[in-house]
Amino acid sequence: MNIKVIGNYIGKFGELWEQSLTDLIKEGVAGVLADAAIESGEIEAIFVANKAGGSFNQQRHLGALVSEQFSHFPPAMRIEGACASGGLAIIAAQQALLSGVYKTVLVLGVEKMTDVSTGETSAILATAASREKEYGSTFPALYGLLANYHMNRYGTTREQLSSVVVKNHLHAFDNSKAQFHKKFTLEEVSNSAPVASPLRLLDCSPISDGVAAVILSSRDSVRKTKILGFGHGQDTLALADRQDLGQLVATQKAAKQAFNMASLSQKDIQAIEVHDCFSIAEILAAEDLGFFAKGQAAAAIANRQATYGGQVVINPSGGLKACGHPVGATGVKQIAFLASLIEAGKFDIALAHNVGGSGATAIVNILGKK
Ligand code: COA
């Protein structure tokens, strides 16, 4: 593996009513080129991560929309894997670099979700679940099932779910790009409005607009961040077809592949950005990625083992929960954010974990200092 992150950019996440989808794309392209300090003509191909521009914004064909921001119109394609679109685009770009066809490529993730109502957004997001077997379900409802199962089987408590949220809002407080800069107490989370039992409003990632971009290159670079390994796991689309609702097998498979490729283990990793679309999802991720034994992550997070000074820092950006979750941008943001921390010397080795649907698709990338 000789792939460097030579540029990274994250736009402000939030309800960006003053910016169109195209404005976000322009911002992402300009921002990442400026950060990489390269000429736009050096971009040889573009991978665009986007879940549902056709539904949120009546705009498909996003590869062309990003390519036309360049005077030489690089070859471009859109990659979709629900909320894992960003992670998928990152590994598709790496595979193109490893093939030797390209040496420098742009990965841009973008989603503009807030131009439609919450009900419409929920219905659009639900298209990532099984239409035939989960018709009518929303994602809070599906993750609510996973939370109930975990609570019944492992004794995970309401307060432990809330501790994930309290931590991630605390981490986001120092992240200028985060959607929320608001700290909450355990009681405020546990008593927020019910959404899908046992999940409450503050257990949920928000509805967000945002863009993130990275430039990956196999050329020599002064930049310090390399991708050390990646993994991609799949599982059934519908929860009803799973053997065990206490684990996300796709995450386990993706982690195993990434750790093998990087020749590393969990003890080598200092920080992880995990796919906490709901509080329970962070607990599942911390276990399925192998950082905590099954049934023990919730207590560990509540005991401050997932923040600075603990075993591993989980979601230093604030995660999807507090940084925001513009779905196609999220997986790219995770890589851009961790690369910026490695460049700044805050961590040496970090891991990103991006999930599509209720665990059908999972992507893991491990980044490290060259
Ligand atoms: N976390 C923290 N605060 C939130 C929030 C969240 N997830 N969602 C909304 N808020 C805040 C808003 O900022 C607003 O605060 P204000 O009154 O101070 O301005 C308040 O809560 C009400 O917001 P509103 O926009 O009316 O919320 P909503 O009812 O439209 O949406 C949810 C709330 C939970 C239903 C929505 O965020 C949601 O569906 N989240 C899940 C998204 C999802 O499924 N993603 C895919 C995951 S796989």
Side-chain angles (χ1 to χ4, degrees):
M1 289 285 284
N2 182 30
I3 298 175
K4 277 87 61 179
V5 183
I6 66 162
N8 58 69
Y9 180 80
I10 304 172
K12 173 91 175 93
F13 283 9
E15 297 183 6
L16 308 176
W17 292 329
E18 305 298 321
Q19 282 175 286
S20 69
L21 181 68
T22 307
D23 292 337
L24 291 177
I25 289 170
K26 285 181 191 292
E27 181 191 338
V29 169
V32 78
L33 285 173
D35 183 69
I38 63 170
E39 296 298 325
S40 62
E42 292 179 56
I43 299 295
E44 296 166 52
I46 299 170
F47 297 83
V48 184
N50 174 261
K51 178 188 179 321
S55 306
F56 286 126
N57 322 105
Q58 306 301 310
Q59 181 66 65
R60 289 199 172 86
H61 209 171
L62 293 199
L65 189 53
V66 182
S67 182
E68 73 173 17
Q69 309 305 321
F70 294 77
S71 57
H72 65 299
F73 296 93
M77 66 179 83
R78 169 186 163 224
I79 309 256
E80 188 271 319
C83 302
S85 300
L88 276 178
I90 293 281
I91 64 167
Q94 291 184 71
Q95 286 157 356
L97 292 170
L98 289 172
S99 77
V101 173
Y102 304 119
K103 293 209 173 340
T104 300
V105 302
L106 166 68
V107 186
L108 183 140
V110 66
E111 206 82 52
K112 179 128 184 65
M113 304 168 72
T114 68
D115 288 350
V116 299
S117 70
T118 300
E120 287 169 279
T121 299
S122 302
I124 293 167
L125 290 172
T127 60
S130 168
R131 181 81 177 166
E132 292 185 359
K133 297 182 178 171
E134 294 169 326
Y135 181 78
S137 302
T138 61
F139 271 100
L142 294 172
Y143 275 88
L145 288 173
L146 294 177
N148 276 318
Y149 186 91
H150 209 276
M151 292 168 103
N152 286 325
R153 176 147 169 203
Y154 297 111
T156 301
T157 65
R158 176 58 259 177
E159 188 162 285
Q160 288 169 342
L161 292 177
S162 298
S163 71
V164 173
V165 177
V166 169
K167 168 183 69 67
N168 289 348
H169 274 274
L170 200 60
H171 288 177
F173 207 72
D174 296 325
N175 176 1
S176 61
K177 303 300 172 66
Q179 182 159 348
F180 298 114
H181 294 107
K182 194 169 179 193
K183 297 177 189 171
F184 291 101
T185 63
L186 292 173
E187 293 69 30
E188 283 170 322
V189 180
S190 300
N191 296 325
S192 59
V195 175
S197 180
L199 301 179
R200 292 170 175 267
L201 184 131
L202 290 173
D203 288 298
C204 304
S205 56
I207 294 165
S208 318
D209 306 323
V211 67
V214 295
I215 297 174
L216 303 182
S217 181
S218 54
R219 294 187 193 280
D220 289 341
S221 168
V222 293
R223 298 298 282 261
K224 301 191 193 85
T225 311
K226 263 180 88 164
I227 301 189
L228 305 174
F230 61 83
H232 178 176
Q234 295 286 156
D235 200 354
T236 66
L237 190 56
L239 287 182
D241 292 331
R242 306 256 173 98
Q243 299 288 324
D244 179 1
L245 292 185
Q247 53 184 331
L248 295 188
V249 171
T251 293
Q252 296 169 358
K253 289 186 203 166
K256 190 170 175 202
Q257 188 187 350
F259 278 118
N260 282 344
M261 198 184 287
S263 299
L264 293 171
S265 72
Q266 287 78 357
K267 64 177 171 23
D268 299 308
I269 310 284
Q270 297 152 348
I272 61 179
E273 283 286 317
V274 306
H275 198 93
D276 61 326
C277 48
F278 300 95
S279 52
I280 185 61
E282 176 165 317
I283 293 166
L284 284 164
E287 293 171 353
D288 293 324
L289 290 167
F291 287 91
F292 297 97
K294 227 350 119 192
Q296 291 180 18
I301 293 167
N303 290 331
R304 301 179 194 280
Q305 288 306 307
T307 189
Y308 297 90
Q311 184 178 324
V312 61
V313 182
I314 303 186
N315 281 324
S317 74
L320 286 55
K321 169 70 266 276
C323 184
H325 184 29
V327 285
T330 286
V332 182
K333 171 227 118 183
Q334 292 177 328
I335 302 298
F337 189 80
L338 290 176
S340 72
L341 294 183
I342 291 171
E343 291 292 325
K346 290 194 177 157
F347 298 109
D348 289 336
I349 308 184
L351 177 149
H353 162 254
N354 191 200
V355 172
S358 49
T361 301
I363 307 295
V364 170
N365 279 285
I366 300 177
L367 289 81
K369 199 170 162 180
K370 285 199 293 198

